[in-house]
Amino acid sequence: MPAKIPTQSQVVIIGGGIVGCSVAYHLCKLGWKDVVLLERKTIASGTSWAAAGLMGQLWSTSALTKLAVYGADLYSRLEEETGQPTGYQRPGSIRVAQTEARKSEFTRSMAMAHAFGIEMEEIGLEEAKKLFPLLHTDDLVAAWFQPNDGFANPEDTTQALAKGARLGGANLIEQVKVTDIHLKKSAIAGVSTDQGDIACEYLVNCAGMWAREVGKIVGVSIPLFAAEHMHLATNPIEGTYKGMPYLRDMDGYIYIKEEMGGLLMGGFEPEAKPWGMEGIPDDFAYTQLQEDWDQCEIFMNNAIKRVPAFEDAEINSLTTVPESFTPDTAYMLGEAPGVKNFFVAAGMNSVGITSAGGAGRALAQWIVQGYPEEDLSSVDIRRFYPWQANHRYLYNRTTEAVGNLYADHWPYKQPKTSRNVRCTPFHDRLAARGACFGVVAGWERANWFAPEGVKAEYEYAWGRQNWFEYSAAEHMAIRENVGVYDLSSMANFLLQGRDAMQLLQNLCANDVDVPVGKVVYTQMLNERGGIEADITVTRLAADKYFIVSPGATGPRDFDRIQRHIDEDAHAVLTEVTSGYTMLAVMGPKARDLLAELTDADLSNKAFPFATAQKIDVADARPLAVRMSFVGELGWELYIPTEFSTNVFDALMEAGEKFDLKLVGLHALDSLRLEKGYKHWGADITPDDSPFEAGLGFCVKMNKKNFIGRDALAEQLKSPLERKLVIFTLEDPEPLVYHDEPIYRNGELVSENTHGSYSHVLNGAIGMCYLKKAGGITDEWITSGTFEINVESKMVPIKIHLEPPYDPKSERVRM
C-alpha cells in the first residue's frame, strides 16, 4: 500500500529520479526537514535507471565544472554515509580526435581544464592504447587523458541519494501522481494528488521528461522534449580489464566503457528521433522503447572502426529509452519566471547522473538562501522565452540537439533546425543584401554580410573563419564612416505608474530620478552587490520609463522587475518588444546621414549624449536614443513596427552618398570590446560587483536603500581584490574566444571572459578579472608580464587599464 501523504509540507518535490532525490538530500543537509518528494511510480523508474552513468568533470563554464566535481566527490562517499552502494569508480577517461579541427578543440579544452582546476593531459596514441588495449589508433591524430573522470551505477546512486534524504528527515512517497498545482497571488500554495492535497510553500519540478506538462499546469514554460537514446552491452571481450578508462570518440558520435568484462557503447547521433509526440503513457516505468537497429547502425559502424573487437562481440542487450533535451543542450535550473517559489531542475540532456549531485546542491542553496553560490546563468531557466516550449519548435530542434553534444563545438556555431521562427521586419531586406544570420533567443540576427558573389554561409574553423575580413570591413565602416545594424532583438519594457520611479530607484544602482528624455545606463544588483542585469532606462514622462535589456536576458530581467512590484504599488510592467524595431545608425558620419531624413536638430546642444527624443525620420516618428554600444557617435532608433521598413529603405537610399555599410553582430562584438563595454553573462555576472567590473560610475552610493547598496558599502571598506581589465595579444595571428587561461609571471591568475578581434589594433582582444589577495593595484598589474594560453602556446598579452580605443569617450559625444 502507498504511504499516507501528509496534508502540508514546507517543500514538495515532484519526481523521484536522481535529480529530485539529490534536491531532497541537499535540502536536508541544509537543515530543512519538512520535505516531501512525490514519485508517480517508484524511485529511479523514469529514465535515471537506464543511464550509462558517465561522470565527466570538465564543463563549459567554471561554475558548472565545480558542480560536476562536487557531484563526483559526493558519489564517492555516499555508500559510506548511507550504506547504499553507488558503484562509483574513477578510472579516468580518454578523448580521441580523428581530425585536426577536433584536436584544436580539445587542445583548447585542455587549457580551459587547467584554468578550472581539472587534470587533463595530451597523451601519445601508444599510451592511449596501453590504457585502452582494444583501441584502434591508425586514423587518430591525438588523444587526451582525464584521470579523475569516472562513472557510477545510476539506479544505485539514485537510491543512495534517496536513502540519504530519508535519513535526513525527508519523506519520499512512491505511487503518487500530482494532478494539480495551487497558487495564491502568483505564489505556490500547494498541490493536488490522486491521494489528496498537500499545502506547501515551495514546489520543485524535477519531473524529467514530464516537466513540461507539469509546468503547463501553472502556465510556466519549460522547453524540453524527449528523444530516444540507446546503448548496447556485450558479453565479456578479451582485452578489457576492470578499471579501464572509458572512451569518448566524439568524431564517431560514441562513448565506450568496460562493463562486466564486456563493453557498453552508446552515442549521440547527428539526427535524433524525438519521442512522446502523443504524450507519455500512464504506465511508463522502467520502460524500454522498441529497438531500432537502423538508428543504431551509425554507432555500430563507428564502434567497429574504433574498437574492432565489436565486430565479433556478442551483444547481450540494446537499451533504448527516452531522455529529455533542451533547445541549447544545457539543463534548466532555478526559480521559474512568473510564479514565486516554483523551482525547476529538469532537461538534463543525457548527463543527469553527472549533473545531479551538483545541480541538486545548487538548487537547494537557491531555495534556502534565495540565491545559488555559483553563477548559473548558463543553465538558468529564465534564459528561455515562453514560446520556446512550442511543440513544433522543440520537436525540430531536438532532432539536432542530441547530436550537438558530440558534434564539433565550433566558435560561432549556429543551429540548423527551428530557424526563421522569429524574424524582424528587416529580415528579407538584410538577406537580399548578403546577411548571414545567427540566432539568439529565437531571433534571426545578421551576424555578417557577404559581398556580392559570395555565399552567405559559415565555414567553421578554429582560426579565421570565412567571414573574418568582411566583418573587419563592417567594423572599420563604423570607426571611420557610418554603419547601420539591426538590433530589434533587444527586449523592450514599459514601466508606468506613479510608483515606477521609486521602484526603479530601489532596483537600480544608478539614479533614475532624472529629467524626462534622459537615458540612464545602470545595473540591477543582488543583495550581495553582484550584477543581475545590465540595462538602459529612459524616462519618457514623470511616471513612465522605457527599459531596454539584451534579447538573451529579456525573460530574466522582466521577471526580476515584476517580482519587486508590490501588490499595492501603482506600477505596471509591460513587454513591448514586438511593438518596436531598432536600427542603430553609428559612426562619425551618423549625424550627417540622419540629417538627410529628419528636420530635428541633432547638434550636441539640442540633442546631447544619453538623451532621447521622438523625431521624424523618413515617414515615421521613432524614439531616437543617443547612446552607443560601439563607442561612436550615433543614435538607436526605436521604430513602431509597422513603420520599420520605410525607415530602413530611406536609410539605405540616403546612405548611398555616404557609402553606408550594413553591419553584423560579429562586428558589434569586436567594436564594443575595443571600447571596453561589458556584456552580461560573460564579462559581468551575479558574482561580479560594479566596482570590480569598472562600472563604479553607474553606482550612486548617495542613494538610499537600493538593492545591493549595503554589500557595496562593505566592499568599499577594504581594497578591491579583483579588477576587470582589457587585454590585447601582441601577435596578430592567434584568436581567443573564452576561458583561455592567463598567466602573470608564469603563474595562473585568470581566464578570458570573452574574446574577439580588434581591427583597429590588429590583434585579438578580450577581458579578464585579475585577482590579488589583500588588494589589487595598478602598479601590481603593470609590473607583471602576462601571457595567454592559446592551443598550448603561450602568447604575450598587453594589459590595458583603460579602453584601448578612445579611453576618454570623446567620440560618442562628437
Side-chain angles (χ1 to χ4, degrees), residues 31 47 72 146 235 250 258 262 272 323 387 481 640 647 693 757 805 808:
T47 58
Q146 291 174 245
N235 288 333
M250 293 187 178
E258 182 272 336
E323 298 191 28
W387 68 267
N481 186 36
V647 174
Y757 198 87
Y805 182 80
K808 296 182 179 179

Side-chain angles (χ1 to χ4, degrees), residues 254-545:
I254 57 173
Y255 58 82
I256 302 170
K257 75 171 182 122
E258 182 272 336
E259 187 167 282
M260 303 294 291
L263 293 174
L264 182 145
M265 182 274 293
F268 301 96
E269 64 271 47
E271 187 171 347
K273 287 179 63 178
W275 180 86
M277 290 72 72
E278 307 303 323
I280 303 170
D282 287 340
D283 61 353
F284 190 101
Y286 293 105
T287 300
Q288 294 196 45
L289 307 182
Q290 184 175 353
E291 295 176 353
D292 187 341
W293 288 100
D294 289 338
Q295 187 76 2
C296 188
E297 184 177 8
I298 189 172
F299 300 137
M300 282 301 305
N301 289 339
N302 287 330
I304 292 169
K305 176 182 173 183
R306 188 57 46 228
V307 176
F310 267 110
E311 187 163 20
D312 299 318
E314 294 180 354
I315 297 172
N316 61 42
S317 66
L318 173 62
T319 302
T320 305
V321 294
E323 298 191 28
S324 55
F325 291 81
T326 63
D328 60 0
T329 61
Y331 58 83
M332 289 179 285
L333 211 62
E335 190 174 11
V339 180
K340 185 178 180 183
N341 294 340
F342 183 70
F343 286 82
V344 177
M348 306 312 288
N349 299 281
S350 201
V351 290
I353 306 303
T354 190
S355 306
R361 183 186 71 167
L363 195 68
Q365 290 171 337
W366 204 329
I367 293 168
V368 171
Q369 64 188 22
Y371 60 90
E373 293 289 338
E374 297 86 5
D375 168 29
L376 298 178
S377 54
S378 62
V379 294
D380 193 321
I381 188 173
R382 293 171 294 173
R383 71 189 185 273
F384 289 119
Y385 281 82
W387 68 267
Q388 288 179 284
N390 175 279
H391 185 280
R392 173 172 164 164
Y393 170 85
L394 287 174
Y395 178 93
N396 291 332
R397 179 58 61 81
T398 301
T399 63
E400 176 185 12
V402 174
N404 280 340
L405 289 169
Y406 273 20
D408 287 279
H409 298 98
W410 300 110
Y412 312 108
K413 183 181 178 182
Q414 303 298 326
K416 297 178 180 179
T417 54
S418 298
R419 295 297 299 269
N420 296 321
V421 172
R422 200 178 189 193
C423 299
T424 79
F426 312 117
H427 182 273
D428 290 349
R429 284 166 164 79
L430 298 176
R433 291 167 170 81
C436 184
F437 293 94
V439 62
V440 169
W443 282 108
E444 295 291 328
R445 311 197 305 177
N447 279 349
W448 56 278
F449 289 85
E452 190 173 351
V454 174
K455 200 167 186 178
E457 289 183 359
Y458 279 94
E459 295 175 9
Y460 295 118
W462 285 96
R464 284 164 170 73
Q465 296 185 6
N466 60 317
W467 50 266
F468 184 86
E469 295 300 333
Y470 311 140
S471 185
E474 297 163 21
H475 181 115
M476 295 311 298
I478 282 186
R479 285 284 179 252
E480 299 174 347
N481 186 36
V482 62
V484 168
Y485 53 84
D486 171 18
L487 255 186
S488 304
S489 57
M490 300 290 278
N492 304 324
F493 316 137
L494 278 179
L495 182 65
Q496 302 173 85
R498 66 170 182 252
D499 295 328
M501 185 271 289
Q502 191 53 53
L503 170 67
L504 285 177
Q505 285 289 72
N506 178 55
L507 281 169
C508 299
N510 212 336
D511 186 1
V512 300
D513 187 7
V514 293
V516 171
K518 179 66 176 172
V519 185
V520 179
Y521 171 53
T522 185
Q523 290 73 46
M524 292 192 290
L525 310 180
N526 54 44
E527 289 78 2
R528 307 177 311 283
I531 300 170
E532 289 287 340
D534 189 57
I535 59 177
T536 60
V537 176
T538 301
R539 194 167 200 174
L540 300 180
D543 60 352
K544 186 176 183 180
Y545 288 87

